[in-house]
Amino acid sequence: GGQKGPRTVNGLKAGFVSGRELNDTMDKKKQDENDRFKKLDNATTGKVAETVYRDKEGKRVEADATSGKRKKTADEEETELKNMVWGKGLVQMEEKQEQLRRLEAEKTAPFARTVEDKDMNDELKAVTRWGDPMATRTAKAQTAKPKYTGPFPPNRFGVPPGYRWDGVDRSNGFERNYFNSANTRRQQDHEAHMWSTEQM
């Protein structure tokens, strides 16, 4: 408490301070911190603490005394080599293998490729292009939609009911009458034909 004038929370002089005063105050503060740090014992500061090595999962591992690094088991080294992909993802590796497979197949293919080349046509058909207006209509783009499997009354256009139909015929009977009248007319025409040809 022998300091005069207003002070900040961390002990620096408040208000207008010249550059020399500020430098002197900061140097004194730094010296005090260094002195306080030197008085602390090594266990508190961690100066002689041993380095802790951890693996990818964060578990503690033993370090090799000579290199400071952990020893790897043969299994770990083998899996690391197997999973090592030099700056490439799995999809890119699969694409590369697919490309190599196609190149091998091309070696046995004939030199000239015509319009009738089935493999080339299948390959071109399999590619989905952005903005293709027919992409939604092709069989491969359509997903398998559920269909109604039970019996249903016939209609003029042969359209089956939706898969959620509960089997109750809620029509006004027009389709049934239509089929009945068509069958009656066909039967009458057949009978008229048979009657007209009976005398021959």
PDB file of all heavy atoms in Angstrom, residues 160-181:
ATOM      1  N   PRO A 160     -55.430 -51.087 -62.607  1.00  0.00           N
ATOM      2  CA  PRO A 160     -55.611 -51.719 -61.296  1.00  0.00           C
ATOM      3  C   PRO A 160     -55.773 -50.654 -60.210  1.00  0.00           C
ATOM      4  O   PRO A 160     -55.332 -49.522 -60.381  1.00  0.00           O
ATOM      5  CB  PRO A 160     -54.316 -52.513 -61.094  1.00  0.00           C
ATOM      6  CG  PRO A 160     -53.305 -51.786 -61.915  1.00  0.00           C
ATOM      7  CD  PRO A 160     -54.045 -51.198 -63.071  1.00  0.00           C
ATOM      8  N   PRO A 161     -56.399 -51.013 -59.078  1.00  0.00           N
ATOM      9  CA  PRO A 161     -56.541 -50.037 -57.996  1.00  0.00           C
ATOM     10  C   PRO A 161     -55.195 -49.787 -57.316  1.00  0.00           C
ATOM     11  O   PRO A 161     -54.242 -50.549 -57.480  1.00  0.00           O
ATOM     12  CB  PRO A 161     -57.521 -50.718 -57.031  1.00  0.00           C
ATOM     13  CG  PRO A 161     -57.350 -52.171 -57.305  1.00  0.00           C
ATOM     14  CD  PRO A 161     -57.007 -52.287 -58.755  1.00  0.00           C
ATOM     15  N   GLY A 162     -55.135 -48.705 -56.542  1.00  0.00           N
ATOM     16  CA  GLY A 162     -53.919 -48.389 -55.793  1.00  0.00           C
ATOM     17  C   GLY A 162     -53.669 -49.418 -54.708  1.00  0.00           C
ATOM     18  O   GLY A 162     -54.578 -50.134 -54.278  1.00  0.00           O
ATOM     19  N   TYR A 163     -52.425 -49.512 -54.240  1.00  0.00           N
ATOM     20  CA  TYR A 163     -52.080 -50.567 -53.280  1.00  0.00           C
ATOM     21  C   TYR A 163     -52.739 -50.372 -51.925  1.00  0.00           C
ATOM     22  O   TYR A 163     -52.784 -51.292 -51.112  1.00  0.00           O
ATOM     23  CB  TYR A 163     -50.557 -50.687 -53.146  1.00  0.00           C
ATOM     24  CG  TYR A 163     -49.884 -49.587 -52.357  1.00  0.00           C
ATOM     25  CD1 TYR A 163     -49.565 -49.756 -51.007  1.00  0.00           C
ATOM     26  CD2 TYR A 163     -49.537 -48.382 -52.946  1.00  0.00           C
ATOM     27  CE1 TYR A 163     -48.938 -48.769 -50.293  1.00  0.00           C
ATOM     28  CE2 TYR A 163     -48.912 -47.394 -52.243  1.00  0.00           C
ATOM     29  CZ  TYR A 163     -48.610 -47.576 -50.917  1.00  0.00           C
ATOM     30  OH  TYR A 163     -47.988 -46.585 -50.210  1.00  0.00           O
ATOM     31  N   ARG A 164     -53.302 -49.174 -51.661  1.00  0.00           N
ATOM     32  CA  ARG A 164     -53.968 -48.945 -50.379  1.00  0.00           C
ATOM     33  C   ARG A 164     -55.473 -49.280 -50.432  1.00  0.00           C
ATOM     34  O   ARG A 164     -56.176 -49.107 -49.446  1.00  0.00           O
ATOM     35  CB  ARG A 164     -53.791 -47.478 -49.962  1.00  0.00           C
ATOM     36  CG  ARG A 164     -52.387 -47.119 -49.573  1.00  0.00           C
ATOM     37  CD  ARG A 164     -52.369 -45.739 -48.911  1.00  0.00           C
ATOM     38  NE  ARG A 164     -51.016 -45.373 -48.515  1.00  0.00           N
ATOM     39  CZ  ARG A 164     -50.210 -44.631 -49.249  1.00  0.00           C
ATOM     40  NH1 ARG A 164     -50.605 -44.187 -50.422  1.00  0.00           N
ATOM     41  NH2 ARG A 164     -49.005 -44.332 -48.821  1.00  0.00           N
ATOM     42  N   TRP A 165     -55.973 -49.731 -51.584  1.00  0.00           N
ATOM     43  CA  TRP A 165     -57.405 -49.996 -51.733  1.00  0.00           C
ATOM     44  C   TRP A 165     -57.842 -51.096 -50.784  1.00  0.00           C
ATOM     45  O   TRP A 165     -57.186 -52.129 -50.643  1.00  0.00           O
ATOM     46  CB  TRP A 165     -57.717 -50.382 -53.180  1.00  0.00           C
ATOM     47  CG  TRP A 165     -59.179 -50.507 -53.466  1.00  0.00           C
ATOM     48  CD1 TRP A 165     -60.145 -49.591 -53.212  1.00  0.00           C
ATOM     49  CD2 TRP A 165     -59.827 -51.631 -54.053  1.00  0.00           C
ATOM     50  NE1 TRP A 165     -61.373 -50.059 -53.618  1.00  0.00           N
ATOM     51  CE2 TRP A 165     -61.211 -51.314 -54.140  1.00  0.00           C
ATOM     52  CE3 TRP A 165     -59.392 -52.863 -54.524  1.00  0.00           C
ATOM     53  CZ2 TRP A 165     -62.144 -52.180 -54.674  1.00  0.00           C
ATOM     54  CZ3 TRP A 165     -60.324 -53.719 -55.061  1.00  0.00           C
ATOM     55  CH2 TRP A 165     -61.692 -53.385 -55.129  1.00  0.00           C
ATOM     56  N   ASP A 166     -58.975 -50.891 -50.105  1.00  0.00           N
ATOM     57  CA  ASP A 166     -59.434 -51.847 -49.089  1.00  0.00           C
ATOM     58  C   ASP A 166     -60.342 -52.934 -49.648  1.00  0.00           C
ATOM     59  O   ASP A 166     -60.848 -53.766 -48.889  1.00  0.00           O
ATOM     60  CB  ASP A 166     -60.147 -51.113 -47.951  1.00  0.00           C
ATOM     61  CG  ASP A 166     -61.337 -50.299 -48.422  1.00  0.00           C
ATOM     62  OD1 ASP A 166     -61.593 -50.290 -49.643  1.00  0.00           O
ATOM     63  OD2 ASP A 166     -62.007 -49.681 -47.579  1.00  0.00           O
ATOM     64  N   GLY A 167     -60.600 -52.951 -50.966  1.00  0.00           N
ATOM     65  CA  GLY A 167     -61.400 -54.007 -51.568  1.00  0.00           C
ATOM     66  C   GLY A 167     -62.875 -53.703 -51.655  1.00  0.00           C
ATOM     67  O   GLY A 167     -63.656 -54.539 -52.131  1.00  0.00           O
ATOM     68  N   VAL A 168     -63.317 -52.547 -51.184  1.00  0.00           N
ATOM     69  CA  VAL A 168     -64.735 -52.185 -51.234  1.00  0.00           C
ATOM     70  C   VAL A 168     -64.992 -51.426 -52.534  1.00  0.00           C
ATOM     71  O   VAL A 168     -64.336 -50.422 -52.820  1.00  0.00           O
ATOM     72  CB  VAL A 168     -65.117 -51.313 -50.011  1.00  0.00           C
ATOM     73  CG1 VAL A 168     -66.579 -50.913 -50.087  1.00  0.00           C
ATOM     74  CG2 VAL A 168     -64.829 -52.054 -48.727  1.00  0.00           C
ATOM     75  N   ASP A 169     -65.993 -51.911 -53.321  1.00  0.00           N
ATOM     76  CA  ASP A 169     -66.335 -51.266 -54.589  1.00  0.00           C
ATOM     77  C   ASP A 169     -67.272 -50.099 -54.302  1.00  0.00           C
ATOM     78  O   ASP A 169     -68.437 -50.286 -53.937  1.00  0.00           O
ATOM     79  CB  ASP A 169     -66.999 -52.288 -55.520  1.00  0.00           C
ATOM     80  CG  ASP A 169     -67.249 -51.714 -56.907  1.00  0.00           C
ATOM     81  OD1 ASP A 169     -66.812 -50.567 -57.162  1.00  0.00           O
ATOM     82  OD2 ASP A 169     -67.869 -52.407 -57.720  1.00  0.00           O
ATOM     83  N   ARG A 170     -66.780 -48.882 -54.432  1.00  0.00           N
ATOM     84  CA  ARG A 170     -67.570 -47.690 -54.133  1.00  0.00           C
ATOM     85  C   ARG A 170     -68.068 -46.991 -55.405  1.00  0.00           C
ATOM     86  O   ARG A 170     -68.430 -45.828 -55.362  1.00  0.00           O
ATOM     87  CB  ARG A 170     -66.734 -46.715 -53.298  1.00  0.00           C
ATOM     88  CG  ARG A 170     -66.383 -47.265 -51.932  1.00  0.00           C
ATOM     89  CD  ARG A 170     -65.598 -46.245 -51.114  1.00  0.00           C
ATOM     90  NE  ARG A 170     -65.312 -46.778 -49.789  1.00  0.00           N
ATOM     91  CZ  ARG A 170     -64.290 -47.562 -49.496  1.00  0.00           C
ATOM     92  NH1 ARG A 170     -63.447 -47.925 -50.453  1.00  0.00           N
ATOM     93  NH2 ARG A 170     -64.111 -48.001 -48.271  1.00  0.00           N
ATOM     94  N   SER A 171     -68.056 -47.701 -56.531  1.00  0.00           N
ATOM     95  CA  SER A 171     -68.494 -47.085 -57.789  1.00  0.00           C
ATOM     96  C   SER A 171     -70.022 -46.988 -57.825  1.00  0.00           C
ATOM     97  O   SER A 171     -70.724 -47.597 -57.014  1.00  0.00           O
ATOM     98  CB  SER A 171     -67.999 -47.903 -58.974  1.00  0.00           C
ATOM     99  OG  SER A 171     -68.697 -49.127 -59.049  1.00  0.00           O
ATOM    100  N   ASN A 172     -70.531 -46.245 -58.819  1.00  0.00           N
ATOM    101  CA  ASN A 172     -71.987 -46.124 -58.977  1.00  0.00           C
ATOM    102  C   ASN A 172     -72.555 -47.222 -59.866  1.00  0.00           C
ATOM    103  O   ASN A 172     -73.725 -47.189 -60.227  1.00  0.00           O
ATOM    104  CB  ASN A 172     -72.355 -44.742 -59.535  1.00  0.00           C
ATOM    105  CG  ASN A 172     -71.737 -44.489 -60.892  1.00  0.00           C
ATOM    106  OD1 ASN A 172     -71.109 -45.378 -61.474  1.00  0.00           O
ATOM    107  ND2 ASN A 172     -71.899 -43.268 -61.390  1.00  0.00           N
ATOM    108  N   GLY A 173     -71.730 -48.199 -60.258  1.00  0.00           N
ATOM    109  CA  GLY A 173     -72.196 -49.338 -61.041  1.00  0.00           C
ATOM    110  C   GLY A 173     -72.106 -49.135 -62.538  1.00  0.00           C
ATOM    111  O   GLY A 173     -72.547 -50.013 -63.305  1.00  0.00           O
ATOM    112  N   PHE A 174     -71.567 -48.023 -62.995  1.00  0.00           N
ATOM    113  CA  PHE A 174     -71.513 -47.757 -64.432  1.00  0.00           C
ATOM    114  C   PHE A 174     -70.662 -48.791 -65.164  1.00  0.00           C
ATOM    115  O   PHE A 174     -71.064 -49.302 -66.206  1.00  0.00           O
ATOM    116  CB  PHE A 174     -70.971 -46.342 -64.680  1.00  0.00           C
ATOM    117  CG  PHE A 174     -70.813 -46.035 -66.137  1.00  0.00           C
ATOM    118  CD1 PHE A 174     -71.902 -45.648 -66.903  1.00  0.00           C
ATOM    119  CD2 PHE A 174     -69.590 -46.155 -66.766  1.00  0.00           C
ATOM    120  CE1 PHE A 174     -71.775 -45.380 -68.254  1.00  0.00           C
ATOM    121  CE2 PHE A 174     -69.442 -45.894 -68.113  1.00  0.00           C
ATOM    122  CZ  PHE A 174     -70.535 -45.502 -68.861  1.00  0.00           C
ATOM    123  N   GLU A 175     -69.484 -49.081 -64.607  1.00  0.00           N
ATOM    124  CA  GLU A 175     -68.583 -50.030 -65.274  1.00  0.00           C
ATOM    125  C   GLU A 175     -69.235 -51.415 -65.370  1.00  0.00           C
ATOM    126  O   GLU A 175     -69.137 -52.087 -66.398  1.00  0.00           O
ATOM    127  CB  GLU A 175     -67.250 -50.134 -64.525  1.00  0.00           C
ATOM    128  CG  GLU A 175     -66.432 -48.855 -64.486  1.00  0.00           C
ATOM    129  CD  GLU A 175     -65.674 -48.591 -65.774  1.00  0.00           C
ATOM    130  OE1 GLU A 175     -65.445 -49.544 -66.545  1.00  0.00           O
ATOM    131  OE2 GLU A 175     -65.321 -47.433 -66.023  1.00  0.00           O
ATOM    132  N   ARG A 176     -69.874 -51.829 -64.294  1.00  0.00           N
ATOM    133  CA  ARG A 176     -70.539 -53.143 -64.285  1.00  0.00           C
ATOM    134  C   ARG A 176     -71.636 -53.195 -65.352  1.00  0.00           C
ATOM    135  O   ARG A 176     -71.725 -54.156 -66.125  1.00  0.00           O
ATOM    136  CB  ARG A 176     -71.112 -53.420 -62.888  1.00  0.00           C
ATOM    137  CG  ARG A 176     -71.676 -54.816 -62.726  1.00  0.00           C
ATOM    138  CD  ARG A 176     -72.089 -55.136 -61.302  1.00  0.00           C
ATOM    139  NE  ARG A 176     -72.982 -54.133 -60.725  1.00  0.00           N
ATOM    140  CZ  ARG A 176     -72.635 -53.275 -59.752  1.00  0.00           C
ATOM    141  NH1 ARG A 176     -71.415 -53.302 -59.244  1.00  0.00           N
ATOM    142  NH2 ARG A 176     -73.502 -52.398 -59.278  1.00  0.00           N
ATOM    143  N   ASN A 177     -72.462 -52.131 -65.423  1.00  0.00           N
ATOM    144  CA  ASN A 177     -73.523 -52.063 -66.442  1.00  0.00           C
ATOM    145  C   ASN A 177     -72.928 -52.008 -67.848  1.00  0.00           C
ATOM    146  O   ASN A 177     -73.487 -52.600 -68.784  1.00  0.00           O
ATOM    147  CB  ASN A 177     -74.420 -50.840 -66.214  1.00  0.00           C
ATOM    148  CG  ASN A 177     -75.238 -50.968 -64.951  1.00  0.00           C
ATOM    149  OD1 ASN A 177     -75.443 -52.090 -64.475  1.00  0.00           O
ATOM    150  ND2 ASN A 177     -75.689 -49.852 -64.411  1.00  0.00           N
ATOM    151  N   TYR A 178     -71.807 -51.313 -67.996  1.00  0.00           N
ATOM    152  CA  TYR A 178     -71.151 -51.203 -69.301  1.00  0.00           C
ATOM    153  C   TYR A 178     -70.735 -52.585 -69.798  1.00  0.00           C
ATOM    154  O   TYR A 178     -70.980 -52.959 -70.943  1.00  0.00           O
ATOM    155  CB  TYR A 178     -69.943 -50.272 -69.175  1.00  0.00           C
ATOM    156  CG  TYR A 178     -69.082 -50.203 -70.410  1.00  0.00           C
ATOM    157  CD1 TYR A 178     -69.409 -49.367 -71.467  1.00  0.00           C
ATOM    158  CD2 TYR A 178     -67.929 -50.973 -70.516  1.00  0.00           C
ATOM    159  CE1 TYR A 178     -68.626 -49.306 -72.607  1.00  0.00           C
ATOM    160  CE2 TYR A 178     -67.131 -50.920 -71.636  1.00  0.00           C
ATOM    161  CZ  TYR A 178     -67.485 -50.082 -72.680  1.00  0.00           C
ATOM    162  OH  TYR A 178     -66.707 -50.032 -73.792  1.00  0.00           O
ATOM    163  N   PHE A 179     -70.095 -53.363 -68.908  1.00  0.00           N
ATOM    164  CA  PHE A 179     -69.648 -54.710 -69.295  1.00  0.00           C
ATOM    165  C   PHE A 179     -70.834 -55.639 -69.541  1.00  0.00           C
ATOM    166  O   PHE A 179     -70.813 -56.460 -70.468  1.00  0.00           O
ATOM    167  CB  PHE A 179     -68.704 -55.302 -68.247  1.00  0.00           C
ATOM    168  CG  PHE A 179     -67.303 -54.766 -68.339  1.00  0.00           C
ATOM    169  CD1 PHE A 179     -66.758 -54.002 -67.321  1.00  0.00           C
ATOM    170  CD2 PHE A 179     -66.527 -55.015 -69.462  1.00  0.00           C
ATOM    171  CE1 PHE A 179     -65.472 -53.507 -67.424  1.00  0.00           C
ATOM    172  CE2 PHE A 179     -65.244 -54.529 -69.564  1.00  0.00           C
ATOM    173  CZ  PHE A 179     -64.710 -53.763 -68.542  1.00  0.00           C
ATOM    174  N   ASN A 180     -71.879 -55.515 -68.702  1.00  0.00           N
ATOM    175  CA  ASN A 180     -73.071 -56.355 -68.899  1.00  0.00           C
ATOM    176  C   ASN A 180     -73.716 -56.090 -70.255  1.00  0.00           C
ATOM    177  O   ASN A 180     -74.063 -57.022 -70.997  1.00  0.00           O
ATOM    178  CB  ASN A 180     -74.091 -56.117 -67.784  1.00  0.00           C
ATOM    179  CG  ASN A 180     -73.671 -56.790 -66.489  1.00  0.00           C
ATOM    180  OD1 ASN A 180     -72.826 -57.685 -66.513  1.00  0.00           O
ATOM    181  ND2 ASN A 180     -74.254 -56.364 -65.379  1.00  0.00           N
ATOM    182  N   SER A 181     -73.874 -54.793 -70.615  1.00  0.00           N
ATOM    183  CA  SER A 181     -74.507 -54.468 -71.897  1.00  0.00           C
ATOM    184  C   SER A 181     -73.623 -54.887 -73.068  1.00  0.00           C
ATOM    185  O   SER A 181     -74.110 -55.367 -74.096  1.00  0.00           O
ATOM    186  CB  SER A 181     -74.837 -52.970 -71.977  1.00  0.00           C
ATOM    187  OG  SER A 181     -73.652 -52.210 -71.927  1.00  0.00           O
TER     188      SER A 181
END
